Amino acid sequence: MSGLNVSLGYFLAVLLLSEVARRLLRRLSMLRGFSAELPASFMLVACWHELRTLMEVGAWAGGFGPDVSVTLLFLILVVHGICSQGASGNPTVTLQCFLLLKVSPWVAFSSLVGQFAGAALASALAIRYWILELTDMHMIQNMMSQDCSAALQVSVPQGAFAEGVCAFFYHLLALRLRHSTALFRVPLTALTITLLTCAASSYTTGLFNPALAFALTFHCSGYTLQEYATVYWLGPITGMTLALFLYQGHIPRLFSRNLLYSQKSRYRVPQAKTAQDQGGRTKEG
């Protein structure tokens, strides 16, 4: 059985597991954020583990070019956007909703817990899957998983800047498309994430998702926890906050005054002109 067929089977199994978990957790009405975000994060991180295997090992062990990984990433993001039913699996999206006053502190907290719990479960599944060594590619990945290489390939300031820029453009688009239909929003968001990931692949792998980065690279040697947090947590959160401030002109959770855009009604001037015209007509009469 070829490595690509095994990977496709793995992706399908992850999708089915995520859907089962989503249906089971739906009963937890008190943990609405947790029950929605755990399956979404689990699916995203589990698929990313296999994608990273294809990117790093598949190129020379399986003969897969970057076009295979990029295509699979786009398709996975589309399926994830459709199946997640509004959940993102991304802590910065949850924090954005919190800053926009869309969710309460409790829902935001339970969502964050669900995202990191889903990421941890996905990593555990990926390790068990690699141990099976179903193909040469996965056998090599299993050996490499004991001493993985960091996704960060530049200095910490450069990495934080790259993650921040990616998060900035991603969230700016998300804010612009938040009222669009899923038919338009999901593929365009998936395409944007894919392009940003490709653009930042030689810097930080282009994750701009704190839970995803925590599962994929925080356990790898080469950098301290503080350095990883600066790049993959502080960078995306800063980019998200800047995008929100630029789009809204203020941060609703922190202050209501709009610092960038005028709140004056555009109809005020025409109304004044109309009143003057009526006064002039009265004098003429």
Side-chain angles (χ1 to χ4, degrees):
M1 186 181 295
S2 69
L4 184 57
N5 289 335
V6 172
S7 296
L8 293 176
Y10 170 81
F11 291 140
L12 180 59
V14 168
L15 176 60
L16 293 176
L17 286 173
S18 302
E19 188 60 30
V20 170
R22 185 175 294 107
R23 292 178 181 273
L24 293 175
L25 293 172
R26 192 175 296 170
R27 303 173 183 178
L28 302 177
S29 57
M30 293 294 294
L31 299 174
R32 180 169 57 89
F34 178 87
S35 60
E37 290 294 343
L38 189 148
S41 180
F42 173 83
M43 177 183 175
L44 184 64
V45 174
C47 290
W48 249 103
H49 272 298
E50 185 67 4
L51 276 173
R52 198 174 180 197
T53 300
L54 290 171
M55 292 175 182
E56 295 182 352
V57 184
W60 50 276
F64 305 125
D67 56 324
V68 175
S69 301
V70 171
T71 303
L72 285 174
L73 174 59
F74 172 74
L75 294 176
I76 288 169
L77 291 172
V78 170
V79 174
H80 180 266
I82 295 173
C83 297
S84 296
Q85 301 175 359
S88 64
N90 189 335
T92 60
V93 175
T94 298
L95 292 175
Q96 182 187 81
C97 292
F98 174 72
L99 293 176
L100 284 170
L101 302 176
K102 287 187 173 183
V103 297
S104 65
W106 167 247
V107 172
F109 175 75
S110 64
S111 297
L112 293 174
V113 172
Q115 288 159 352
F116 282 95
L121 290 173
S123 296
L125 173 68
I127 292 173
R128 295 291 182 182
Y129 168 65
W130 294 332
I131 290 176
L132 298 176
E133 298 184 356
L134 299 178
T135 65
D136 293 341
M137 178 179 66
H138 295 96
M139 179 184 66
I140 297 172
Q141 178 61 41
N142 184 39
M143 293 186 294
M144 292 175 57
S145 64
Q146 304 300 324
D147 188 21
C148 60
S149 57
L152 180 59
Q153 303 174 43
V154 293
S155 67
V156 172
Q158 290 175 323
F161 179 77
E163 287 289 294
V165 169
C166 288
F168 174 81
F169 285 109
Y170 164 66
H171 284 281
L172 204 59
L173 177 71
L175 288 166
R176 181 66 181 84
L177 299 178
R178 57 181 171 171
H179 299 303
S180 303
T181 61
L183 184 64
F184 178 72
R185 183 183 68 255
V186 170
L188 186 55
T189 301
L191 179 60
T192 301
I193 295 176
T194 302
L195 292 176
L196 290 173
T197 299
C198 292
S201 60
S202 59
Y203 300 95
T204 62
T205 312
L207 303 177
F208 47 98
N209 180 331
L212 178 61
F214 176 78
L216 289 184
T217 195
F218 270 44
H219 62 286
C220 298
S221 59
Y223 296 91
T224 64
L225 177 62
Q226 182 180 359
E227 290 173 330
Y228 276 132
T230 299
V231 173
Y232 292 105
W233 289 0
L234 183 60
I237 291 174
T238 302
M240 176 275 295
T241 306
L242 290 175
L244 177 59
F245 179 70
L246 180 63
Y247 187 84
Q248 294 283 127
H250 66 120
I251 308 294
R253 177 71 65 174
L254 302 180
F255 53 92
S256 59
R257 181 182 177 184
N258 197 308
L259 302 180
L260 296 182
Y261 309 114
S262 173
Q263 298 297 306
K264 294 181 179 180
S265 173
R266 60 180 178 176
Y267 299 104
R268 184 172 298 173
V269 174
Q271 287 177 352
K273 288 184 177 180
T274 303
Q276 292 176 0
D277 292 341
Q278 290 178 348
R281 291 175 182 175
T282 303
K283 290 180 181 180
E284 291 176 0

